[in-house]
Amino acid sequence: MILVGDVGGTRTRLALAARAGSSWELTGLEESPTTPDLPEKVARFRAGHRIEAAAFGGAGPVGEDGRIPLTNAGFTLDPVRLGEAAGVSRAVLVNDFRAIAEAIPVLPRDCFVACGGGRAVEGEPVVVMGPGTGLGTSIGAQGPGGWHGIQGEAGHTDLAPVDDEELRIWQLLRREHRLVTAETVLSGPGLERLYAALAGRRLPAPEIDAAAWRGEAEAVAAHTVFTRWLGRVAGNLALAAAARGGVYLAGGILPRWGARFDADTFRRGFTDKAPPYDAWLAEVPSFVVMHPYPGLIGLAVLAGGRR
């Protein structure tokens, strides 16, 4: 049995993973707020189970010492402490979106909802990204020994405006934030910032979503700008990675939007590049990952192997 844990900026999910054919089955899922007492939670969770290995994904960059300072939670994950809590010598600890990239080849195909583009080219790199508490990014690619997830921190790259509407919003955001990054906009807090720039007042992200589904103009506009900017950033990453294997959209927001996700607006932002790269990107497929726990599956792969 493998203990896996996905530690996000807001929520933590723990589960037990066991091999099920070519993929993995999760049992005993437990979800709680992300708090510094994580090792104690892990120790309680594994009580009564025979744990062979443990793996954790954290929403932050892996340091040279193997630890992860969580970008939006204010404390650090330590693989030694987490391993001790799980009853193993040392836990695998990776960036949470690297874990999702590791899962892409083994997830059921029906959990990928196509949202534009051509056909994925087998064996070519993929981009994985998704807005939630922050903006996670990674790349998946074939390499020595098979498929590899590669940690990325592209959520913290600069965000550029392209048209006049984006420039106006960007200037408003820059008054509050010295640097406007992709995560400044493409996250739950970012959606709230966008709405405030457009409406002149603040609302929590779930209320913005509800207002958009009711058709309220300012909330619809916030969703539209958010989605178009997400497409632009995704297109940039697809070009950087030559991601002919596709772009996979995960995270906490888009699966919750479900069928309301405006794929056409996303794809317009995605392909809005100078020729010939607009046509090149038009052939790159994009998908929304609807599996509820792709990171946990990727962690099981890392700890237990694909075999």
Side-chain angles (χ1 to χ4, degrees):
M1 194 74 71
I2 296 173
L3 191 156
V4 290
D6 183 8
V7 188
T10 303
R11 306 294 293 177
T12 292
R13 298 175 179 90
L14 300 174
L16 300 173
R19 198 178 294 278
S22 60
S23 189
W24 294 83
E25 181 180 47
L26 301 174
T27 58
L29 184 78
E30 178 179 293
E31 184 170 342
S32 64
T34 294
T35 52
D37 64 342
L38 179 62
E40 289 79 5
K41 290 181 183 179
V42 171
R44 289 193 297 271
F45 180 80
R46 65 102 168 177
H49 299 287
R50 183 175 176 271
I51 304 300
E52 300 165 3
F56 296 85
V62 180
E64 291 183 8
D65 59 1
R67 302 196 305 167
I68 294 180
L70 295 174
T71 304
N72 294 301
F75 66 96
T76 296
L77 302 181
D78 184 319
V80 175
R81 285 197 67 200
L82 290 172
E84 291 172 350
V88 299
S89 59
R90 184 183 179 95
V92 174
L93 181 60
V94 298
N95 172 267
D96 57 344
F97 266 73
R98 177 190 165 186
I100 298 175
E102 294 281 354
I104 294 300
V106 302
L107 288 173
R109 299 297 96 182
D110 61 4
C111 76
F112 302 138
V113 177
C115 55
R119 301 188 70 173
V121 179
E122 186 77 21
E124 289 295 296
V126 306
V127 163
V128 181
M129 64 181 295
T133 304
L135 176 65
T137 67
S138 62
I139 294 170
Q142 290 286 356
W147 186 259
H148 297 271
I150 303 167
Q151 172 181 316
E153 290 295 338
H156 303 287
T157 58
D158 299 338
L159 183 67
V162 174
D163 59 28
D164 289 342
E165 180 184 31
E166 290 172 1
L167 177 60
R168 181 181 69 81
I169 295 168
W170 184 90
Q171 288 173 327
L172 290 171
L173 292 171
R174 189 174 181 274
R175 292 174 189 170
E176 295 186 37
H177 307 272
R178 187 179 66 85
L179 293 175
V180 179
T181 68
E183 185 171 287
T184 304
V185 171
L186 302 175
S187 60
L191 179 62
E192 296 171 6
R193 296 182 188 108
L194 270 183
Y195 181 82
L198 289 163
R201 62 185 185 280
R202 294 190 176 274
L203 278 181
E207 293 184 26
I208 297 169
D209 291 346
W213 311 149
R214 292 193 299 269
E216 295 180 17
E218 291 158 335
V220 170
H223 270 204
T224 298
V225 175
F226 183 100
T227 303
R228 186 172 66 238
W229 237 326
L230 181 69
R232 295 197 192 285
V233 172
N236 290 344
L237 295 179
L239 287 174
R244 294 194 300 160
V247 172
Y248 292 80
L249 303 171
I253 293 177
L254 303 187
R256 187 176 74 237
W257 288 4
R260 293 184 173 103
F261 174 60
D262 188 345
D264 290 340
T265 294
F266 172 82
R267 291 296 302 191
R268 281 195 292 273
F270 186 79
T271 59
D272 189 15
K273 311 295 182 192
Y277 298 104
D278 53 350
W280 190 92
L281 283 167
E283 294 302 312
V284 174
S286 50
F287 307 89
V288 178
V289 180
M290 294 302 293
H291 191 288
Y293 311 113
L296 295 178
I297 299 296
L299 292 167
V301 168
L302 281 166
R306 287 191 170 82
R307 197 171 64 208

